[in-house]
Amino acid sequence: QVQLVESGGGLVQPGGSLTLSCKASGNIYRINTMFWYRQAPGKQREMVASISAGGKTRYADSVQGRFIITRHNFEKMVWLQMNDLKPEDTAVYYCSAQIVLQGLEDYNAWGQGTQVTVSS
């Protein structure tokens, strides 16, 4: 019904930058809040950033001032610009969205994840 497809992960050196993209498609009436989560090996999944349909953003303390989340409502896309990357940012990053389907049901969608590795 709904797909979230992430792209943009990869290997980057400490201090470098990377931008993740996520596009939603399918039986979508409206997308409310969109999120980026991450999960490092042996750790729980944590929310990195969120952005409401109106553009209000929230960030985890660990990324505040380094990461920027943006979205394009018509294109159904969300991005995560990651700057000054640190080895502890290494994780699988997941896109997620609170979606209202065409039948007006609520649906929480998740992407498949994209690996980000920060290493010299």
Side-chain angles (χ1 to χ4, degrees), residues 8-96:
L11 173 65
V12 62
Q13 291 187 341
S17 298
L18 210 57
T19 298
L20 306 181
S21 302
C22 173
K23 183 169 178 61
S25 62
N27 187 30
I28 298 170
Y29 174 73
R30 183 178 68 243
I31 302 177
N32 292 327
T33 302
M34 303 186 82
F35 304 83
W36 285 98
Y37 284 79
R38 68 186 180 187
Q39 187 166 20
K43 294 189 176 181
Q44 287 192 332
R45 190 173 297 188
E46 63 171 349
M47 192 201 75
V48 175
S50 67
I51 183 167
S52 71
K56 184 175 181 179
T57 58
R58 293 178 59 194
Y59 297 93
D61 290 343
S62 58
V63 307
Q64 181 75 47
R66 298 188 298 123
F67 289 12
I68 300 171
I69 187 171
T70 54
R71 68 186 282 173
H72 193 298
N73 290 334
F74 181 78
E75 296 294 333
K76 298 185 183 64
M77 292 193 68
V78 63
W79 295 268
L80 184 68
Q81 180 181 339
M82 304 183 292
N83 302 312
D84 189 23
L85 282 160
K86 307 175 188 241
E88 50 264 40
D89 294 318
T90 296
V92 177
Y93 283 71
Y94 297 91
C95 173
S96 178

